[in-house]
Structures are given as C-alpha cells and as structure tokens.
Amino acid sequence: MSFEGIERFFVQSWLSFKALFGWIEPKTYFFVKVLNPIFQLLFFCLLAKYSFKTNDLTPWVIGNSFLLCIYNSIFGIGHVFVMDRYAGTLKMIIAAPFNKFLTFFQRGFVHIIDSLSTVAIGLIIGSIVFNVSFSNISIPIFIIIALVAMFSVAGLGLLLGSFGLVTSSMNFIANIVSMILIALTGANFPIETLPNSIRIISYCLPITRSIKAANLLMNGGSTQVIYSLIVKEIFVGIVYIALGYMFIIITEHIAKRKATLELY
Amino acid sequence: MITVLETIYSTAKLQMKEAVTRPTFRFCLLIQPIIYSLITYKMFINSGHDNFVAYTVLGTGILTLWSCICFSSAGDIERERYMGTLQVIYNTPTNFKVIILGKILGNTMLGLLPFFISFAFVRLFLGGDMYIKDPMAFGISMIITIASFMGISMLFAAVFTLSRSSRILMNCIEYPVFILCGILFPIEILPKWTIPLSYILSPTWAVKLLRLSVEGLEGNDIFCKYFGILTTITIIYFILSNILFKIIDNKTRIKATLGVV
C-alpha cells in the first residue's frame, strides 16, 4: 500500500466516523458517548450493589466499563453500511473496484480507538464513585486486556455490519446483540450459573474472556491463566473478522441479486 | 365527548399497529423484557428476598414500559414531522392534544405486554414463582401507574417537541430514570442530593405503590399516602403538558416550523 493509500485510509476512517454520529457538535458527543454510558455503568453497578449486597464493586465496574465499547463497536461499526445507504453512497461503494472488506474496515477503524476512550471514562468514573483501586495491578497488562476486548468486539461489529447490505433492521439486530453481551458475558452475574446450552453462547461471545482476565488480574490471579485468556480472546476476534469478511462477500452477492442495496 | 373518545380509541388502535412495525419498538416490547428478566433474575436469585421474582417481573416490566415511552411516546411528534404528516394531524378538526393522548394510550397499552412476557419467561424458563399479597391494591396501583406513565409521556412529548435535541434526549433519559426512580433498587441507596429529583418523578411513586401491594399492606396509611402523591404528580404533569402544548401551538403558528425537519 502506497503512502497515498495509507493517508486515504485514515482520512476515510475519520470522515466516516464524523459523519456517522454527527459529532461535529460536542454536545451530541457528550450526551451519547459520555453521559449515557456513565449512567448505564452506574445503573448496573448500583443494581449489583443492592442485589449482591456488596460494597466491593470491582468486577461490575470492570465488566460494565468494558461493555461500554458496544456504543462504537456494535452500533457504530454495525451501522456503517446502513448510513451509507441513507447517504446514497452505498451503490457507489459496492460498484467501486476496491476491496469491500478494506472499505468496511477503514470505516470502523476510528470507532475501535474511540471505544477505548469510552471504556476509559467508564473505568475512571466507576473507580471514583465506587472506590475501585487500580494501584496494585500491572497497568500495561490491564491496557492490553482492554485493547484485546475492543478488538474482539470490533470483530463482532464487522460481522454484524455485513448484514447491513441485506437488511434495513440493523438497529433491531444491534440492540439484541448489545443486550446479549450485557447479559451473557459475565459482566453482571457469573456465567457459571447459566444452563450449559446458554453458557456455550457466552463462550462464543467476545469480551467474556477479557472480563474474566481483568477480574483475575485485579484479584492477583495466575499470570499464565490471564495470558491464556488474552490469547483466546484474540482468537475469538480473528474468527469474527474472518466471518465478517466471508459474510461481506455473501451479503454483497445477495444484495446484488435481490436488489436490497436501497432497501429502506 | 363521544367524538373525543372515538378519536382516542382509533388513534390508539392505529398507533399500536404502527408502533409494532418499528424494529426498535419491537425490540423494546419483545426482546428487552426477556433479557432484562434473565439479568435481574440471576442477580437477585441469592439476594435473600423471598419474593424476588416479583421484584424481577415488576422491575423488568417498568424498565421496559419506560423504554417504550423513551423510544415511542416521547418521539412520536418528531417522527410525524419526519414522515411529513405532522401538519396534516395538526390541522384536523380534532384537538392535537387528543390525538397525542390517543397515541400515548396505544403505546402505554402495548408497554404493558412486557409484564406478561417477563412473568411467562421467568415462570417457564427459569422456574421462578411470585405472589401478589394484595391483588386489589395491586390492581388499583396498576391503574394509577398507567395514568401516571401517560401523564409523564405527555409531558416528555411536549418537552421534546420544543427541544431541538429531542433525538439525543430520547436516547439519554432511559438510564437516569431507571436509577433515579429506584425501579430495581430502593432510592435510599442513592446519594441524598438525588432524592428530591426522585420524588418529582412519578415512576418513583408508581414503583413504591406496586411493591407495597405485592408485599402486602400492613395498614392503609402508607398506601393512601403514596397513592395521593402519585395522583397529585400525575395531575401536575397533565397541567404542565397542557401549558406546554399551548406554547407549542403558539410557536408553530408564529414560526411555521411544523414541517421543518
């Protein structure tokens, strides 16, 4: 890839990011990306405080902060094609002699970085409000866990986004997936309490292992187990990206055959 | 009067048909109660509450009812504007507020469905059981709860019509109300400075009233007190929304912004 190509990649990423959420206005960004995630985090942590009758809310602060990345990774990346359809540019993207997956990936790239800021805000607010201390842990490892979590959820977002070529109900799909992530990744209750059949779904989801690894790190758990969970989470992310790539080829074919590129 | 009731009935019917065609509303109505039930059931199972299933079902039902209000009632005027039908509705011989009331009634009726979905899910898939110690009080509480949710919907519909940031607000009022109204935990666990905010929101009193009737009344005093407060707040909401709708009427006639997207 030439320098011009790399530059175009980042320019496209940035423009798509700005256009998707209309973040030219700082007020919109503040409400959608700062205030709303904070309230989501506070709600689930307070619920845990009351239902589990505990004052140590470390696992819930970590789990629910990680989950805040769904605003970017699921709703942001998942809506890339839908927003292009509304802007009237989807036909041009499909017709362009350029790798669709790369186009798609460049549009989601800034979301991955931005989701880290939301997660960081969640962790900072959560640690202040609920007295969670990060002083006794290895911060670089914690950052690696967070990065790996964002990567694997972005993989799921890429997979979901591919469906945007054949359906106009992406909001419905994104909402279901985000709720499933809140329920089944172990952020709010131990996944061991779920029936076996549902537990399999939990292990197939991104973030499950990252939350477990971060909680182990906070509790001084085995480094080997933590590293093994990180590697498994990376693998989950790669699988989702591969599936996303495959599904874009399939859905592009279906969209052309069924003429759903302009399905509103 | 009969014409007004007929308008409310037919608008509510149309609204119910229209609302279920929207994917986000379908999500709020059908999927959200199931997932919230699972989360709250699993979180409360070892809480020591002997009637925690009632807590789960009621909490989930109210959470979802509120979500339906956020994503439908509060945004209905804005939606009509985007569809280009707001001017038509506004200029019909029937009072605009009556039509909005009909829409809100339709949404609220649909919003009651999650209570049953949540109960059925918890009963059939999680094996949970619940009891209502005072069904009569529960019935009365439910009626005033529906009225109060309609009142707050009218108020939000008016506020959101006046605001240029209605879509942002719509997405951002969900969790603050979940927290402030103590839908799944008592407001006493919140910082003291937030309590006055909780008290001016009708869902706080609706939840208190419903929980009281589920747990059983030891005396009528507290029930009557909560009932009185909730009724008063609901009346205030309707009065405020009436004033706001008059302001909207005035503004739209001066600025001619009914069709401005």
Side-chain angles (χ1 to χ4, degrees):
Chain A
M1 194 187 272
S2 65
F3 179 74
E4 196 192 334
I6 295 167
E7 190 188 356
R8 204 185 303 136
F9 178 91
F10 286 109
V11 169
Q12 281 290 329
S13 295
W14 175 241
L15 285 175
S16 169
F17 173 76
K18 273 208 324 187
L20 189 61
F21 283 118
W23 286 347
I24 299 152
E25 266 188 276
K27 186 178 75 179
T28 314
Y29 185 90
F30 178 73
F31 274 103
V32 177
K33 284 297 312 299
V34 180
L35 211 58
N36 202 36
I38 289 173
F39 279 119
Q40 182 183 322
L41 173 82
L42 292 177
F43 171 70
F44 283 106
C45 289
L46 286 165
L47 180 58
K49 182 186 167 88
Y50 179 66
S51 60
F52 289 98
K53 294 186 172 47
T54 176
N55 284 321
D56 178 18
L57 291 167
T58 309
W60 291 278
V61 168
I62 290 173
N64 285 291
S65 295
F66 277 19
L67 282 175
L68 297 182
C69 71
I70 57 179
Y71 283 91
N72 281 96
S73 304
I74 303 296
F75 289 97
I77 302 174
H79 278 79
V80 164
F81 282 147
V82 176
M83 296 311 284
D84 270 315
R85 176 182 292 142
Y86 275 94
T89 48
L90 188 56
K91 279 185 298 182
M92 283 174 256
I93 288 169
I94 296 297
F98 195 68
N99 185 323
K100 303 299 170 300
F101 185 75
L102 206 58
T103 310
F104 191 26
F105 184 71
Q106 79 184 7
R107 277 153 190 268
F109 183 74
V110 181
H111 288 288
I112 301 172
I113 296 166
D114 188 53
S115 63
L116 275 172
S117 69
T118 315
V119 173
I121 290 168
L123 288 167
I124 293 165
I125 298 290
S127 62
I128 294 167
V129 176
F130 301 108
N131 294 320
V132 175
S133 170
F134 293 92
S135 57
N136 295 325
I137 62 154
S138 164
I139 297 294
I141 296 178
F142 190 86
I143 292 171
I144 289 169
I145 295 171
L147 277 169
V148 167
M150 304 310 106
F151 166 76
S152 66
V153 185
L156 177 62
L158 285 169
L159 171 63
L160 285 179
S162 66
F163 291 104
L165 288 173
V166 286
T167 177
S168 59
S169 303
M170 270 316 290
N171 209 30
F172 183 70
I173 297 170
N175 271 308
I176 292 176
V177 172
S178 69
M179 282 299 284
I180 289 174
L181 287 174
I182 292 172
L184 302 182
T185 50
N188 292 304
F189 58 85
I191 51 174
E192 287 73 24
T193 62
L194 289 165
N196 284 339
S197 52
I198 300 177
R199 213 182 305 166
I200 293 168
I201 301 171
S202 292
Y203 287 125
C204 293
L205 292 172
I207 309 196
T208 306
R209 288 160 192 82
S210 301
I211 290 174
K212 203 171 179 180
N215 285 328
L216 271 175
L217 185 71
M218 294 299 283
N219 295 326
S222 154
T223 321
Q224 266 197 329
V225 179
I226 293 169
Y227 287 148
S228 135
L229 287 165
I230 292 172
V231 171
K232 283 176 188 166
E233 188 78 312
I234 294 171
F235 178 72
V236 170
I238 291 169
V239 168
Y240 277 116
I241 290 172
L243 283 172
Y245 180 73
M246 214 170 73
F247 268 83
I248 282 187
I249 295 168
I250 297 168
T251 51
E252 187 191 340
H253 179 72
I254 296 170
K256 281 177 183 169
R257 197 161 48 86
K258 292 194 169 179
T260 54
L261 283 176
E262 288 187 318
L263 179 77
Y264 288 96
Chain B
M1 187 64 188
I2 290 170
T3 319
V4 169
L5 289 176
E6 272 175 0
T7 310
I8 291 174
Y9 172 72
S10 48
T11 313
K13 213 167 91 176
L14 178 68
Q15 178 67 19
M16 284 160 92
K17 283 182 187 170
E18 209 177 58
V20 290
T21 62
R22 273 185 284 120
T24 309
F25 196 80
R26 277 207 302 270
F27 164 78
C28 288
L29 208 62
L30 307 171
I31 313 290
Q32 192 167 291
I34 293 174
I35 302 180
Y36 269 141
S37 298
L38 177 69
I39 297 172
T40 49
Y41 183 91
K42 289 288 175 189
M43 289 179 88
F44 276 103
I45 196 163
N46 294 319
S47 64
H49 283 276
D50 59 336
N51 195 14
F52 78 94
V53 176
Y55 222 84
T56 302
V57 172
L58 273 183
T60 304
I62 294 174
L63 287 183
T64 315
L65 183 57
W66 182 249
S67 296
C68 290
I69 285 172
C70 288
F71 296 109
S72 192
S73 298
D76 272 335
I77 296 177
E78 189 72 5
R79 198 168 294 111
E80 296 289 351
R81 195 197 300 272
Y82 271 90
M83 290 193 295
T85 47
L86 188 60
Q87 302 103 305
V88 184
I89 293 173
Y90 207 87
N91 288 310
T92 52
T94 312
N95 192 326
F96 183 61
K97 277 178 286 186
V98 174
I99 297 173
I100 295 298
L101 189 68
K103 280 174 167 290
I104 286 168
L105 178 70
N107 288 331
T108 314
M109 287 297 125
L110 276 178
L112 295 176
L113 186 65
F115 284 94
F116 301 102
I117 292 176
S118 174
F119 176 70
F121 176 75
V122 170
R123 186 85 184 90
L124 297 174
F125 293 95
L126 302 172
D129 206 0
M130 63 177 270
Y131 57 83
I132 297 170
K133 270 197 177 165
D134 202 326
M136 178 79 167
F138 185 79
I140 296 167
S141 306
M142 210 61 200
I143 292 166
I144 187 67
T145 298
I146 294 167
S148 80
F149 271 84
M150 285 180 69
I152 201 166
S153 300
M154 283 289 276
L155 187 64
F156 274 107
V159 171
F160 285 3
T161 308
L162 284 169
S163 167
R164 286 180 65 84
S165 311
S166 59
R167 278 179 185 268
I168 307 167
L169 291 170
M170 214 191 302
N171 281 291
C172 296
I173 56 164
E174 204 181 10
Y175 284 106
V177 169
F178 288 177
I179 297 169
L180 285 172
C181 297
I183 293 172
L184 278 169
F185 42 78
I187 54 169
E188 285 71 28
I189 69 165
L190 300 174
K192 282 202 168 56
W193 62 268
T194 63
I195 304 291
L197 289 172
S198 302
Y199 284 166
I200 58 166
L201 292 165
S202 64
T204 306
W205 301 100
V207 170
K208 277 178 184 280
L209 209 56
L210 287 168
R211 259 185 222 148
L212 199 67
S213 45
V214 164
E215 297 304 328
L217 311 176
E218 284 175 11
N220 285 336
D221 292 358
I222 301 176
F223 184 83
C224 291
K225 183 184 157 193
Y226 290 167
F227 186 86
I229 294 170
L230 185 56
T231 311
T232 312
I233 293 177
T234 305
I235 292 167
I236 293 170
Y237 285 169
F238 274 111
I239 293 168
L240 281 176
S241 57
N242 195 40
I243 295 167
L244 288 175
F245 272 107
K246 276 185 185 156
I247 296 171
I248 292 167
D249 186 67
N250 208 17
K251 276 198 169 184
T252 46
R253 281 171 204 278
I254 295 166
K255 292 187 174 177
T257 52
L258 277 180
V260 179
V261 180

